Every structure is written in C-alpha cells, then in structure tokens.
Amino acid sequence: MSTTTLTHDDAHHHETPTGWRRWLYSTNHKDIGTLYLLFALTMLFLGGASAMVIRAELFMPGIQLVDPDLYNNLVTNHALIMIFGAVMPAAAGLANWMIPMMIGAPDMALPRMNNLSFWILPAAATMLILSFVVPFFPGGGTQINTGWTLYPPLSIQVGMSMDFLIFAIHLLGASSILASINIIVTLLNMRAPGMKLMQMPMFCWTWLVTAFLLILVVPVLAGGVTMLLFDRHFGTSFFDAAGGGDPVLFQHLFWFFGHPEVYILLLPSIGVLSHVIPTFSRKPLFGYNSMVGAMLAVATIGMVVWAHHQYTVGMSLGAVTYFMIGTIIISIPVGLMIFNFIATMWRGAMTFETPMLFAIAIILMFTFGGLSGVMLAVVPADMQYHDSMFVVAHFHYVLMPGAVFGLFAGVFYWLPKWTGHMYDERLGKIFFWTNIVGFNITFFPQHFLGLAGMPRRIIDYNVMFTEFNVLSSFGAMIFGFSHLLLLYIVISTIRGGQKAKARAWEGADGLEWELDSPPTFHTWEVAPTIK
Amino acid sequence: MHDPKLATGTRNRRTAVVLSLVVVGMFGFGFAMVPLYDLICKVTGVQSVALRTGGERSEAVPMVAPDPNRWVTIKFDTTVAPSLPWEFEAGIHRVEVVPGEINEVVFLARNRSNSQVTGQAIPSVVPWQATPFFSKLECFCFNKQTLVGGERVEMPLRFMVSPDLPKGIESLTLSYNFMKLKPSQGGVAEPKVTANDQG
C-alpha cells in the first residue's frame, strides 16, 4: 500500500511545473505559502495607503482632502484590508511554509483544498476593493461609512457597496475556514512518527489553537452578515427595530467573532516569538507546558468576554461586571507568556539581529498595549474612553506589535530559509528603527488625544487637538514610508545575497533547520525520526 | 481521530469531516442566537428592544403619595427613521416633575408625504436603571399611528415618575424612535406582548 503511494507521488515529483501553471494549479505548501505572503504584502501596502490618507486628512483640523463619508469609508477599508487581507493571510502564509517542515510532513494534509483556500483570496480582495470603488461611479450608492464593525441600522441603509462587502466577508471567511481545517488536519494527523502533541514546535501549537478559534467564530460572523443581507434585501427584521428586531443583537454576533479574532491575529505571532527568542538567546523556550496552557486559557476565556466592546449599550450591572472581570482575567495567561519570554532571555547569550530586535520591541510595546487594555476593560473608565482616540491607540499598540511586528520578525527569521540568502542585516536594522520610531510617534500621542476627548472615526476635530495630531501624522509618514524599505529588503533577498547555511542562525533549533536553505521543492518525503 | 492503523488519507478525511460539521454547527449557532438572545436578555436584564417595547401597556394609576420635595428633570428626545417621511418633535424639550404626580406632554407629528403612512414609536429611557420607575399611563407608542398625506396630529403622553426612583437619578431622558411599518407588519410591540407581560 505504502509503496504504491510512493511511486504515485514520485511520478509527480519529477515534473516541477513552470510558468503560471506552477502558481495557479499549485498544491505545494511552499508555493502556496509564498503566494499567501505576497498577497499579504500587497494588501499591506493597500491598507497602508488608506491609513496614509486618513492621517493626511487629520494632519490639520477642518476638512481638506476627502469628504466625511469617504473618510469613514477609508477607515472601514483600512481595517478590513489590514485584518482580513494583510495579517490573516500573512499568518496563513507562515503556517503553510513552516508547519509541514516543522513537523516533518511532506506537505499539508489536503493540498487541493490548500490551493482553493488561497485562490479564493484574490476574488475576495477584488470584492473588497470594489466595495470601496463602486460608490465613485454613477448609481453606485453611498459610501460604506459604518467602520469595520458594520453596525446596523447604518449598515442596512448603505447602498450596494455594502453587498459587495458582505460577499467579500463571506469569501474571506470561507478561505480562512478552509485553511484552518487544513492546518488542524495536518497537525493532528501528519506529524512525523514519534512526535507527540506536546513535542510540537510552539508555532504549530499557536496555529492549532488559532485554527480552532477560526472555525468556531468565523461561521458566526458569516451568519451575522448573512442576516444583514436578508434585512437589506429580503424583508426580514433580524436587526431592524421597525420590524421587531434588535440592532444590538448584531453587535453581539459581530463581537462574538470580533473578540476571538484579536487572539487569532495575536497567537501566530506569539508562535513566531517562541522560536525567535530562544534562537537569539541560545536557550530553549522557558516553560513550554505553561505556554501551551496559557494559550488554551487565553483562547477559552477569549471566547466568552466579547461584550466588553459594548459596555455603553445598556447591559445590566451583572452582565457588565461579568464581562469586565472575564476580560481582566485574560491578562493573567497573557502575562504568563510575556514572563516566559523574559525568562527565556534571562542569562541567555543574546545577540540582536533584526528578528530579535522586533521580538524585544514586541514584548515592551505589547505589554504597554495590554495595560491600556486593562484600563479599557474597567467599565466606569471605559464609559469615558469608549469610541475615543484612546481606543485607537490601544488597539494599534496591541495589533501592530502583537500581530504585524511578530510577522515581520517571522519573515526576517525565516527569509534565509525560504530564499537561501541572508538579508542585509544593516538594512534590516535601519528598517526596524525607522519602523518602531515611526510607530511610536504615530500612536503614542493618540492616547493623550483620546483622554482629552477626541472621538475616533470623525473627520474633523477641535483646534485644541492640533499639536498631537500634527505629531501623529508626521510619525505616520515615517512609519508608512519605512515599509518601502521592507519591500526592498524582501525583493533584494529573493534576488540574491550571501548564501544561507541550512541552519541559518547558529542558535536555531527544529526540523526545518535540518533542510537545505532554500529547501528542495518537496521535503520530508521520508519522515524524519524524532529522538 | 487517532487510530494509527488507518491510512493517513482516511484519517485526514475523517478529521476534515468532523471539523466541517463544527463549522456548520457554528453557522447554525449564529442563527440560534436570535431566539437565545431574547431569552438571555430577559434572564440577565439586558434591555433588548423587545423588552423595552413589550411592556408598553397603559398601567393602572399607582396610588402613591407624591414627594413634593423632590424634582426630577425629564428630557425628551426624538428620532425619525430615514424611511419614514414624517416630522416628529416633542412639544416641550424638558420638564421638571414631582415624582408621584401625573404629567402630560404633547408630541407633534406631521406626514410630509402625500400618501398614507403607518409608523410606530419605540421608547427608551436613559439611564436604563430608571426604566421601571417611569410609567406611561397613556402613550401614542402603545399603538401604531396612521397619518394620511400631509396630516398633522398632536399626540399626548401621560406619564408618572415613581417616588421609588433611586435617589441618585435627578434627570432622565425619554427617547422616541419613530419607525415606519410596512403595510403587512403588525405593531412593533404586539408579537412580544405575551412573552413580556409577566413582568
């Protein structure tokens, strides 16, 4: 039986497909991983461009560049492109590349489904971009001015661009559900013989939990936006108060997805850190078992605290108290992860290559964002902070370090493995410093703006907020343009550079480092033995 | 899921099927939230629209002594759904009332279109803790209102604030959101009445 499978596979191995067929028909986890990463990079620039317009508009009080509805459409578009277009596909790209190599599997468990889950994405992105573009044409209806949360009744009244957006969300959801099923099946069934669940590399563990979260919450969002579609076109009244529906119900459905979503964005990056920090500290990860436990705790509690996004809708005292306490409890396992990282570095022989710089910056800045999160979790305080720029500062401090910088660290860490070339360390460090400094100049002043009462999602502001907004927009330009350097580094590393050894980093540990850099098209056709 | 004797392909397929069932189940759970939500709101006291409108029946005048030393400010706020071609405003925007006394204010509505339109107002009270202490004795929001084209009406609201209103609350806002009813629809409140009458 096994011999027949082998010969069958071999027939495929000898013809390495070329040209567009290689990519469109690809069932190879490495190629699909590359596609995911390139797609995410493209979306990062699109989402970044909308952020640049937002900050340019907010540079001065008054309305200069865009009209208010377009401004809110940009805010909506920025969020959706960054979350669904950039961060999630980038994390899925890392998973595709690394998981089979890390667990000693020849490929993902369901390679054709893998192809499908990637190739849905360009279609979804087209729908998403159309939802932004359509209102510019005659008869295109109104702009999507709801923000990414799509709250009714406003989202019921928006023109047909909302229908494009709803279908884009359906497609994006389908893509990430398929990818998640594939990842779970791979991790459960395709590990090299002898590798137990509790011996999996930490990146695999974080993705196992992430994938479970995805298949639990994305269908609920799909259901919610389906109801929205029905309310818009088929005369139902799920959320329409005129027909006895309740708009707050949508908020519950949305945040039942939306809160676990932040852990979906965070956890893969935590997985990256669990490899980067031990490598550059030259010590094994401190507290493997407690990391796994903490992650399961975060995922479980994270599923049941969603309504802390809705304190102001008028829930009973008992309900808000429950959501407040649940939210604050999450900081315990998250804190444990942070302490584990610090303990891993403790007395290690540390060096500070670009991935490690990002890792240390993440620990500092993510902790900072976590603390402002605890402030927001407290009900009476949140009544003041709700929907202010403080919230914007908070979630950018958790999502940029917690998700995006973690992915940057992963890209720098594994680029030598993927391309076979070392990136230019000096350029990497320049990118790190401009990126981090730009980020902090952009978002740190927004805390003060929010505390002083500047609301979010509003195009104009009181002149008293001018100075901090100028500073923030100035930082945003540094931050935004620093990503061109990232693009240059990635392209030049793909094209050439110093040859990378199989073990590109001397402190690196794991099956993926026993393969050549770059790895051959098919790897681990014979499963490795786990000692 | 973990029978090592099975071929990897079979095991993969089996796991994928189980996970797909989870996905289908969670999609169903999203829809199950619709009835569950009303139930949970009732149990936990979250102010869903159904709870806010369901209790809107004229109440017997409670025989309580007014508390002449206390004044409560009532503010009126009105919103008209964009689909409803009406003007709708409170005749007076704020009144000071004595808890325990019956008060009457008038709301003005006008149908701007030239065809007959039916609407219904949904009230809510802020802060929500004051909701049970604000009794409407007569309100246009109990029924659907039909105005022929161009018609202008005065709609009365008779209400009383209970002297049991918690001491910390000195001011409350009554907000009305006027919704358009499609010809086929019953009143907003009607389908939910039995479910909420036990209160």
Side-chain angles (χ1 to χ4, degrees), chain A residues 188-189 216 242 246 252 315-316, chain B residues 2 12 15 26 44 48-49 128:
Chain A
L188 290 183
N189 295 340
L216 288 176
D246 194 331
H252 284 285
M315 286 181 285
S316 66
Chain B
H2 261 303
N12 286 351
T15 317
M26 287 310 289
T44 61
S48 69
V49 170
W128 61 267

Side-chain angles (χ1 to χ4, degrees), chain A residues 270-463:
Chain A
I270 292 282
V272 172
L273 291 199
S274 310
H275 291 265
V276 168
I277 293 176
T279 298
F280 297 101
S281 305
R282 291 158 185 83
K283 276 176 65 190
L285 181 67
F286 181 89
Y288 178 98
N289 292 349
S290 67
M291 281 294 275
V292 174
M295 204 164 49
L296 292 173
V298 167
T300 316
I301 308 171
M303 291 277 295
V304 291
V305 295
W306 69 90
H308 61 217
H309 296 267
Q310 314 159 236
Y311 283 151
T312 56
V313 298
M315 286 181 285
S316 66
L317 187 62
V320 291
T321 311
Y322 159 75
F323 285 112
M324 173 172 80
I325 292 172
T327 307
I328 295 173
I329 283 176
I330 292 190
S331 58
I332 297 171
V334 175
L336 185 78
M337 293 179 180
I338 299 291
F339 280 121
N340 276 347
F341 288 144
I342 296 172
T344 308
M345 289 190 275
W346 181 253
R347 293 191 169 171
M350 288 165 70
T351 50
F352 301 95
E353 285 84 352
T354 310
M356 186 61 168
L357 287 175
F358 269 112
I360 294 169
I362 290 164
I363 292 175
L364 286 170
M365 296 189 306
F366 181 72
T367 307
F368 187 86
L371 287 176
S372 59
V374 174
M375 291 170 72
L376 287 166
V378 177
V379 179
D382 180 73
M383 297 291 168
Q384 169 74 21
Y385 308 146
H386 186 88
D387 247 348
S388 75
M389 291 301 279
F390 187 84
V391 177
V392 176
H394 157 71
F395 69 68
H396 282 95
Y397 260 91
V398 282
L399 283 186
M400 289 299 299
V404 180
F405 293 168
L407 298 168
F408 288 167
V411 167
F412 279 102
Y413 182 59
W414 284 313
L415 253 186
K417 174 56 61 189
W418 301 335
T419 62
H421 304 128
M422 298 303 284
Y423 60 88
D424 184 336
E425 189 63 55
R426 198 175 50 92
L427 286 182
K429 283 189 174 134
I430 294 174
F431 169 63
F432 168 77
W433 285 110
T434 45
N435 198 252
I436 292 296
V437 169
F439 168 77
N440 280 288
I441 299 176
T442 310
F443 292 105
F444 203 79
Q446 295 183 2
H447 289 103
F448 305 123
L449 288 170
L451 292 180
M454 179 174 161
R456 67 192 276 219
R457 289 175 172 167
I458 291 184
I459 186 169
D460 194 5
Y461 54 85
N462 193 306
V463 284

Side-chain angles (χ1 to χ4, degrees), chain A residues 109 157 177 184-185 188-190 215-216 219-220 222-223 227 241-243 245-246 248-249 252-253 256 314-317, chain B residues 1-2 8 11-12 15-16 19 22-23 26-27 29-31 33 37 44 48-49 82 122 128 179-181 185 188:
Chain A
Q157 294 155 14
I177 286 170
I184 297 174
V185 175
L188 290 183
N189 295 340
M190 306 278 285
I215 64 167
L216 288 176
V220 177
M227 289 180 222
D246 194 331
V248 179
L249 172 61
H252 284 285
L253 288 171
F256 183 85
M315 286 181 285
S316 66
L317 187 62
Chain B
M1 254 183 255
H2 261 303
T8 316
R11 276 192 296 154
N12 286 351
T15 317
L19 293 171
V22 174
V23 171
M26 287 310 289
F27 188 70
F29 172 77
F31 284 86
M33 282 277 269
Y37 174 67
T44 61
S48 69
V49 170
I122 295 177
W128 61 267
M179 300 287 181
K180 182 181 183 176
L181 292 185
Q185 274 171 341
V188 175

Side-chain angles (χ1 to χ4, degrees), chain A residues 463-524:
Chain A
V463 284
M464 70 186 258
F465 301 126
T466 309
E467 288 82 358
F468 278 136
N469 271 301
V470 168
L471 189 61
S472 179
S473 293
F474 170 70
M477 296 303 144
I478 302 178
F479 184 53
F481 287 113
S482 74
H483 293 88
L484 294 175
L485 187 54
L486 172 74
L487 187 64
Y488 175 77
I489 295 171
V490 170
I491 292 173
S492 62
T493 311
I494 293 172
R495 297 175 65 125
Q498 192 199 328
K499 277 253 157 274
K501 292 193 284 273
R503 194 173 299 272
W505 309 105
E506 54 146 317
D509 191 28
L511 287 176
E512 74 270 30
W513 302 108
E514 288 168 23
L515 299 165
D516 294 339
S517 303
T520 48
F521 197 59
H522 294 281
T523 45
W524 296 135

Side-chain angles (χ1 to χ4, degrees), chain A residues 96-348:
Chain A
N96 259 294
W97 253 105
M98 302 318 297
I99 285 177
M101 292 184 358
M102 281 177 157
I103 61 174
D107 205 310
M108 298 296 279
L110 309 160
R112 285 179 194 209
M113 200 162 92
N114 207 12
N115 176 294
L116 178 63
S117 60
F118 173 77
W119 281 109
I120 289 175
L121 278 181
T126 310
M127 293 286 266
L128 189 58
I129 293 165
L130 277 177
S131 79
F132 177 77
V133 173
V134 156
F136 291 105
F137 291 96
T142 50
Q143 307 261 3
I144 302 175
N145 46 11
T146 59
W148 84 294
T149 49
L150 311 178
Y151 282 178
L154 196 52
S155 55
I156 296 177
Q157 294 155 14
V158 171
M160 70 169 170
S161 48
M162 182 58 77
D163 302 319
F164 282 93
L165 182 55
I166 287 171
F167 287 125
I169 289 175
H170 279 138
L171 288 176
L172 292 161
S175 160
S176 54
I177 286 170
L178 292 177
S180 301
I181 290 177
N182 206 347
I183 287 168
I184 297 174
V185 175
T186 308
L187 287 171
L188 290 183
N189 295 340
M190 306 278 285
R191 296 192 308 278
M195 184 188 273
K196 298 198 181 64
L197 269 182
M198 288 305 279
Q199 293 169 335
M200 276 199 307
M202 189 53 76
F203 180 72
C204 299
W205 256 112
T206 55
W207 250 109
L208 184 62
V209 176
T210 305
F212 265 109
L213 280 178
L214 275 166
I215 64 167
L216 288 176
V217 300
V218 171
V220 177
L221 174 72
V225 294
T226 307
M227 289 180 222
L228 205 55
L229 191 72
F230 282 16
D231 271 15
R232 287 168 56 81
H233 296 295
F234 304 118
T236 59
S237 299
F238 287 109
F239 310 126
D240 183 4
D246 194 331
V248 179
L249 172 61
F250 180 83
Q251 302 186 10
H252 284 285
L253 288 171
F254 182 85
W255 288 113
F256 183 85
F257 150 81
H259 192 66
E261 173 71 13
V262 304
Y263 301 108
I264 290 166
L265 302 173
L266 165 73
L267 286 176
S269 293
I270 292 282
V272 172
L273 291 199
S274 310
H275 291 265
V276 168
I277 293 176
T279 298
F280 297 101
S281 305
R282 291 158 185 83
K283 276 176 65 190
L285 181 67
F286 181 89
Y288 178 98
N289 292 349
S290 67
M291 281 294 275
V292 174
M295 204 164 49
L296 292 173
V298 167
T300 316
I301 308 171
M303 291 277 295
V304 291
V305 295
W306 69 90
H308 61 217
H309 296 267
Q310 314 159 236
Y311 283 151
T312 56
V313 298
M315 286 181 285
S316 66
L317 187 62
V320 291
T321 311
Y322 159 75
F323 285 112
M324 173 172 80
I325 292 172
T327 307
I328 295 173
I329 283 176
I330 292 190
S331 58
I332 297 171
V334 175
L336 185 78
M337 293 179 180
I338 299 291
F339 280 121
N340 276 347
F341 288 144
I342 296 172
T344 308
M345 289 190 275
W346 181 253
R347 293 191 169 171

